[in-house]
Amino acid sequence: MRLATRVVAVCLLGLATLLLGRAGAVPEGRIGSDARAEGLVLARCGTCHSTDLIMQQRLDRPRWQATVGKMIHWGAELSDEEADLLVEFLAARFHPTASGLVPLSEIGEAEPLQAEPLSMQERPNGVAQQGAALFATNCQACHGAGAGGGFGPKLAGNPILHAEASFWETVLYGRGSMPAWEHGLSRQDIADIQAWLKTL
Amino acid sequence: MVYQARLVEVVVMSSSGESLVREASVAPAMSRRTLLGRIIQGLGLSLVLSPAIPVVQAREQVVEISETDRLIVRVARPLDAETPVQEFVSFLTPNSRFFVRSHFGPPPQEQHSEENWRLRVTGLVDRPLTLTLDDLKQFETVTITAVVQCSGNGRALYRPKTPGVQWERGAVGNARWTGVRLLDVLRRAGLQTNGLHVQFQGADRPVAATVPLFVRSIPVEKALHPDTILAYEMNGRPLSLLHGAPLRVVTPGWMADSCIKWLTDITVQQDEAQGYYMQTAYRYPTRQVTLGETIALDDLKPVEAMIVKSLIAQPQAGAVLVSGPVMIQGVAWTGEGRIAGVDVSLDEGRTWAQARLIGEDQPYGWRQWQYIWEATTAGPRTILCRATDDRGNRQPERSPWNPGGFLWNGWDRVSVTVAG
């Protein structure tokens, strides 16, 4: 549990650095609720889409309200109080006059055509220390802090971690409500996450 | 060595005249500091400073970047990525550099593999069909060169900003699409006279079942146009998964919101498709509107045909040019007409000079153009371009604002510096 708490803390700290670092000084006393709002962004918005989509928006309060309302209508799990907190946070950070610098990413492979699960030789060796942060960013929203389970199954101690073919096939191509990650994560990222999960 | 692949993904790109460090999709929500920290931990500082790795030196990066086979990722999951505009110096956009957009990402393998995949044609037809890909390939094969452009291409250029993926200039491409006519398939099924709209649905699904499916329809006139096709090849290669394998709709001259990927269901019906993505999203006001205004439903119509537009592919934004002749080149396209001309301005639109149209001239393809500029005065300059089509439509300086940020076609502009 202590590890899980640390993972959440590291993850929130990372996002806070990213979100707050660009926005300049933050009024004191708001940091606690900001951290909670950032957690909501990761856990509730991040279920369906990566958070870069949010960070590139520049909307005023009524339009953030409308956007969050639409997402709740579509199934985002937010209580009224959480929704208010989120709108407050988003309108304060990603408002029309916020900095024009938006973090973006690049990919090297625009057209991955892997139709078959990777052979053993093509699976990179995972680095467990790298996996925790990758998991927090990409998987935690569904699989819970410390991979303890949530919307998606508990992965800590899950036998699929050792069923190589099933693990890779599921992560790369998805299964049921699990999205396919072949375009969202590199092979190395997946190997790192797998290595970290095996340490739990 | 584990980290090497990640390192080379840290590149410098020029956007809106500014140099930015754009990070790999290693971990989308990770700060640059954290990423660099990881790199330093993993490799040691010496490697970070190695000349083989792009560091923040914008001027030196221009050539290197133009040779890189890359897309600019706007959203990591589900993947939305646009083509760097310097790629648009070729008539056809290579498949690996073609922009990628979908609402939910590609469907799982078991749903799009050829053995399992079926195309169903139902609704107001005499003979509902279920076709395999082989069945479909028995219809006459047609190949059409066509621009496919996201309706939101250029959304980031609207002020006030509008919600949605902040596409800049590259959510567009020109490809040769091979497949069969939708008309032939609908004829085989026996289209009934009260079938006025043809609805498409793909195999892609949202994470949560509460999110509306991406279902769209086109009017039967467009569906029966002999150039509207169901494509299984792109630039002579089987459609890749990111581009809709095994089958997608291509509606030449129309925006890509009609070009449904991973197509599995065609339903002929009397009315437009219901649901969010047809009745609410992808609609455009028929009159001038402002932010905050309530727009009556009757004043909104579906985004359909493309409108006249051009882009400057070379030189790139931020380039430092040697004084003397400079080759300015780019592409221009329109909806259902043809490009009549492209003009270039080097004085903020006060005077315009005609560019030369070059290369292939295909009905729905884009037109390449070039203009030689004698760059003599040292200092910063902005290059502008605007296209005109054969129906007299000309690109405006700025497109009329609309709440969805659709159909941007303002003058394209690229700022450069002429060295002294």
Side-chain angles (χ1 to χ4, degrees):
Chain A
M1 271 334 278
R2 207 173 293 160
L3 179 62
T5 316
R6 275 217 313 271
V7 170
V8 176
V10 167
C11 152
L12 293 182
L13 195 68
L15 189 70
T17 313
L18 178 62
L19 300 183
L20 306 180
R22 291 169 192 276
V26 177
E28 280 198 28
R30 278 193 40 77
I31 290 168
S33 65
D34 282 354
R36 210 176 137 225
E38 286 151 18
L40 291 173
V41 168
L42 273 180
R44 311 295 169 76
C45 313
T47 309
C48 290
H49 57 81
S50 51
T51 51
D52 45 7
L53 178 59
I54 297 166
M55 291 186 283
Q56 64 193 262
Q57 307 302 317
R58 296 291 180 269
L59 303 175
D60 58 19
R61 199 190 160 78
R63 288 194 297 164
W64 270 123
Q65 195 124 36
T67 302
V68 170
K70 179 172 94 173
M71 297 305 167
I72 291 170
H73 180 63
W74 285 358
E77 289 180 24
L78 291 163
S79 68
D80 290 352
E81 186 261 335
E82 286 170 336
D84 291 346
L85 181 74
L86 197 56
V87 169
E88 180 79 20
F89 170 82
L90 295 169
R93 289 288 168 282
F94 307 109
H95 54 82
T97 53
S99 158
L101 289 175
V102 181
L104 292 169
S105 49
E106 295 269 334
I107 53 162
E109 290 171 45
E111 198 179 14
L113 289 167
Q114 290 286 348
E116 299 297 322
L118 299 181
S119 70
M120 280 309 286
Q121 292 87 343
E122 290 167 294
R123 289 177 206 148
N125 291 323
V127 181
Q129 300 94 296
Q130 305 293 343
L134 288 164
F135 178 89
T137 306
N138 296 291
C139 322
Q140 186 168 294
C142 289
H143 292 286
F151 173 71
K154 178 181 176 179
L155 292 175
N158 194 312
I160 197 172
L161 298 173
H162 303 278
E164 288 291 324
S166 302
F167 176 85
W168 280 87
E169 195 181 322
T170 305
V171 178
L172 287 174
Y173 308 122
R175 183 180 300 269
S177 57
M178 164 92 175
W181 285 90
E182 61 174 326
H183 315 299
L185 290 171
S186 71
R187 304 301 191 256
Q188 185 64 56
D189 290 338
I190 297 169
D192 291 353
I193 292 168
Q194 185 187 22
W196 178 73
L197 287 170
K198 283 177 178 173
T199 67
L200 300 179
Chain B
M1 289 313 95
V2 161
Y3 305 94
Q4 205 141 36
R6 291 172 180 175
L7 259 178
V8 298
E9 289 177 314
V10 180
V11 300
V12 179
M13 280 210 59
S14 181
S15 167
S16 323
E18 286 175 296
S19 300
L20 303 178
V21 172
R22 299 188 172 183
E23 292 150 10
S25 57
V26 176
M30 191 172 290
S31 75
R32 185 194 317 171
R33 214 170 307 160
T34 315
L35 181 69
L36 288 175
R38 278 175 47 186
I39 290 165
I40 291 163
Q41 284 162 16
L43 286 168
L45 195 62
S46 60
L47 254 178
V48 175
L49 299 176
S50 145
I53 298 154
V55 190
V56 189
Q57 292 169 359
R59 299 294 170 252
E60 281 76 12
Q61 294 306 316
V62 173
V63 170
E64 186 171 338
I65 289 161
S66 71
E67 289 167 359
T68 315
D69 193 0
R70 298 230 163 136
L71 295 178
I72 302 165
V73 175
R74 295 289 172 215
V75 181
R77 172 172 58 86
L79 182 65
D80 291 319
E82 66 179 269
T83 312
V85 286
Q86 62 265 26
E87 300 294 348
F88 299 148
V89 290
S90 64
F91 180 65
L92 295 177
T93 312
N95 295 0
S96 62
R97 301 177 197 181
F98 210 95
F99 84 96
V100 174
R101 160 68 175 154
S102 75
H103 287 264
F104 312 127
Q109 169 76 11
E110 58 268 25
Q111 279 174 40
H112 64 74
S113 69
E114 259 184 55
E115 317 80 83
N116 298 338
W117 181 86
R118 296 289 183 278
L119 175 67
R120 290 171 289 273
V121 185
T122 57
L124 300 173
V125 292
D126 296 332
R127 297 171 293 277
L129 305 175
T130 301
L131 304 170
T132 64
L133 201 58
D134 278 342
D135 295 337
L136 202 77
K137 288 179 177 174
Q138 304 308 310
F139 291 95
E140 188 189 343
T141 307
V142 287
T143 295
I144 286 177
T145 303
V147 171
V148 167
Q149 179 183 207
C150 175
S151 312
N153 192 25
R155 177 178 290 127
L157 305 173
Y158 277 107
R159 297 292 180 278
K161 288 271 197 179
T162 61
V165 178
Q166 296 298 302
W167 301 110
E168 289 182 7
R169 300 153 72 210
V172 60
N174 188 42
R176 280 199 227 286
W177 307 95
T178 300
V180 301
R181 290 185 193 93
L182 177 56
L183 164 70
D184 292 343
V185 175
L186 290 174
R187 268 197 194 135
R188 171 80 54 88
L191 187 68
Q192 295 175 0
T193 49
N194 56 342
L196 301 178
H197 295 268
V198 177
Q199 174 177 298
F200 303 121
Q201 193 185 315
D204 51 329
R205 291 291 179 273
V207 172
T210 40
V211 175
L213 296 177
F214 187 62
V215 179
R216 302 267 313 160
S217 65
I218 60 174
V220 75
E221 297 77 29
K222 185 68 178 174
L224 295 179
H225 193 290
D227 294 333
T228 296
I229 63 169
L230 306 177
Y232 45 78
E233 279 182 18
M234 179 177 180
N235 291 327
R237 295 184 54 206
L239 211 52
S240 71
L241 183 55
L242 283 179
H243 294 294
L247 192 73
R248 76 175 298 175
V249 182
V250 176
T251 50
W254 280 26
M255 286 287 187
D257 50 300
S258 302
C259 302
I260 304 299
K261 297 177 181 178
W262 309 297
L263 183 70
T264 54
D265 290 273
I266 297 176
T267 315
V268 180
Q269 41 196 45
Q270 195 156 4
D271 300 311
E272 260 181 8
Q274 296 305 302
Y276 178 81
Y277 289 106
M278 193 70 203
Q279 296 302 322
T280 305
Y282 297 109
R283 287 196 172 244
Y284 185 87
T286 51
R287 59 177 179 84
Q288 185 103 33
V289 297
T290 53
L291 174 60
E293 184 180 339
T294 308
I295 308 167
L297 278 182
D298 287 351
D299 288 343
L300 290 164
K301 62 169 187 190
V303 171
E304 294 180 337
M306 292 191 279
I307 55 179
V308 65
K309 187 166 176 175
S310 59
L311 291 174
I312 299 162
Q314 292 287 353
Q316 295 174 48
V320 177
L321 308 169
V322 180
S323 64
V326 172
M327 166 78 83
I328 302 173
Q329 53 182 326
V331 291
W333 68 96
T334 188
E336 289 170 321
R338 304 291 276 266
I339 286 297
V342 174
D343 304 317
V344 172
S345 174
L346 292 144
D347 56 8
E348 280 296 327
R350 279 186 290 280
T351 62
W352 295 88
Q354 219 169 29
R356 198 159 65 95
L357 300 180
I358 56 168
E360 284 191 49
D361 185 9
Q362 301 273 349
Y364 304 100
W366 61 27
R367 202 70 208 272
Q368 294 172 274
W369 56 268
Q370 58 176 227
Y371 177 77
I372 311 288
W373 168 38
E374 282 296 331
T376 47
T377 320
R381 286 295 274 280
T382 299
I383 306 166
L384 303 178
C385 74
R386 65 171 191 203
T388 307
D389 70 18
D390 61 359
R391 298 177 185 189
N393 300 304
R394 172 175 280 176
Q395 277 180 265
E397 181 175 359
R398 273 183 287 275
S399 305
W401 188 88
N402 66 91
F406 295 124
L407 293 168
W408 172 267
N409 75 333
W411 299 344
D412 200 36
R413 50 174 65 229
V414 162
S415 294
V416 297
T417 304
V418 180

